[in-house]
Amino acid sequence: MTVKELLRAHTVNHGNASAETKCEGGHASSAAPAATVAAGRASQELGIRRAEFELAAHLGLIAVVGAPGGGRPRVHEGEIARLREQPGFPDALVERVRTVGTAQGAALLDIAPARFTRLARAGCVSPVTFYLNRYRAVVWLYLAAELAAFAAREPGLLAGRTPPGMRTMRESGADWRARNWRSQRIDRLLDRTTDPWARTAVQASALDPVQLSEVVDDPYERAYLVRVRPEPVFGRPGSMAAREAMAELTLADDPDEILWRRVNLTLELDRAREDRPAPRPGDDGRARATPPDGTGARPRAVCPAPAAEPAAPPACTGAPRSAVLGRTARQGLLARLGWRGRGAG
């Protein structure tokens, strides 16, 4: 289909509110926008594997839009046409989402696998996804393009003696891989929506039910957060073991990280409450769900974003860690958060 045909079809379908489109299973549906296709169909039209498509969408390389009334994200046909016209398509796109494990990553950086693992555990390189091996152990995967960029940026960490900060972290058993994966995943989900309640739901997804109920004490608000949470394009494991691993890895597990997430959740919740109240029984849907983005572009926040979590510890950056998470600046929130931390008396 040519670009002119796509534009003509979009104009006709836009004027016909009752036009039906095919959904992912091949059945007609009037809920989906007429000019969009499901993720499976989009990956076929782009000539790439479904896993490659989903990772590209997760990274923001392919713009996706939410389906009206919820459901899995979809892709504008115009976005597919745009990608097809890019130089080197589809090989260039596939290379940008190529992932490697520890052995391949070490070979790419020309270092020993043990050194690569130390760099990853210290947070110098961050995994983008994972899978479970036959022993149900988590195997982290990294973007090859990000590893190449790291090698060019930090050649001193690839050879010679390990920096003292990294040695200290190794001796203490610190491992930043899961935390960095969570942080990047949350940031990319936040990039896909400007709706205050959906952004609050993304922040809430990193806290267990007990932590969440301490910050969001209204049960109707907690239920609404579940309803409006953005549907991920990438990282929906199929097996029960993979789902359990995903559920465990998405939760903050360090007191420092938990406090960070509670602070950001509180800030987003304040903005959401100012925008509109969560629906209550008998509201007749006056508090709307997450509005779909109609442009296909990656949305940006219209309000000041919560403070970004450091992507790497001092062992890799050489800088102090935001004065231990900006302890002085956040003091006023601690009483409201009810935070005492582990081991507090």
Side-chain angles (χ1 to χ4, degrees), residues 35-50:
T36 65
V37 297
R41 171 73 178 277
S43 63
Q44 292 176 3
E45 294 190 10
L46 291 172
I48 60 178
R49 293 183 300 170
R50 178 66 178 268

Side-chain angles (χ1 to χ4, degrees), residues 310 312-314 317-325:
T317 63
R321 207 165 124 210
S322 260
V324 192
L325 300 178

Side-chain angles (χ1 to χ4, degrees), residues 58-99:
H58 175 66
L59 298 175
L61 304 177
I62 300 176
V64 296
V65 294
R72 293 182 179 179
R74 299 173 66 86
V75 184
H76 278 293
E77 291 181 343
E79 174 71 357
I80 296 174
R82 181 189 70 82
L83 292 166
R84 284 174 168 171
E85 294 172 356
Q86 291 186 344
F89 175 82
D91 294 340
L93 178 61
V94 171
E95 180 59 26
R96 294 180 70 181
V97 297
R98 181 167 67 93
T99 57

Side-chain angles (χ1 to χ4, degrees), residues 193-215:
T193 181
T194 58
D195 179 71
W197 281 102
R199 293 176 62 84
T200 304
V202 171
Q203 296 286 1
S205 66
L207 296 175
D208 64 36
V210 174
Q211 297 282 346
L212 179 60
S213 64
E214 290 178 355
V215 179

Side-chain angles (χ1 to χ4, degrees), residues 59-214:
L59 298 175
L61 304 177
I62 300 176
V64 296
V65 294
R72 293 182 179 179
R74 299 173 66 86
V75 184
H76 278 293
E77 291 181 343
E79 174 71 357
I80 296 174
R82 181 189 70 82
L83 292 166
R84 284 174 168 171
E85 294 172 356
Q86 291 186 344
F89 175 82
D91 294 340
L93 178 61
V94 171
E95 180 59 26
R96 294 180 70 181
V97 297
R98 181 167 67 93
T99 57
V100 295
T102 297
Q104 291 175 304
L108 183 64
L109 299 182
D110 196 23
I111 59 177
R115 191 179 188 98
F116 182 92
T117 300
R118 290 197 296 271
L119 291 172
R121 291 177 66 93
C124 298
V125 292
S126 300
V128 70
T129 186
F130 69 91
Y131 70 89
L132 298 184
N133 63 15
R134 59 179 177 174
Y135 304 108
R136 294 192 175 185
V138 172
V139 179
W140 294 108
L141 297 176
Y142 307 80
L143 284 173
E146 286 190 356
L147 295 183
F150 167 75
R153 186 176 64 250
E154 300 285 354
L157 291 176
L158 304 181
R161 294 177 58 85
T162 302
M166 287 180 58
R167 289 201 300 269
T168 301
M169 290 184 64
R170 180 181 62 190
E171 292 168 0
S172 67
D175 188 347
W176 274 65
R177 289 175 294 184
R179 178 169 180 168
N180 279 353
W181 171 78
R182 278 191 294 272
S183 180
Q184 291 190 3
R185 181 175 182 270
I186 288 173
D187 288 345
R188 285 161 179 157
L189 286 172
L190 289 174
D191 278 349
R192 283 181 37 210
T193 181
T194 58
D195 179 71
W197 281 102
R199 293 176 62 84
T200 304
V202 171
Q203 296 286 1
S205 66
L207 296 175
D208 64 36
V210 174
Q211 297 282 346
L212 179 60
S213 64
E214 290 178 355

Side-chain angles (χ1 to χ4, degrees), residues 286-332:
R286 282 197 297 269
R288 56 186 172 84
T290 307
D293 296 293
T295 63
R298 294 177 69 215
R300 304 300 303 176
V302 295
C303 56
E309 183 176 10
C316 297
T317 63
R321 207 165 124 210
S322 260
V324 192
L325 300 178
R327 182 180 294 116
T328 302
R330 74 185 185 214
Q331 290 276 333

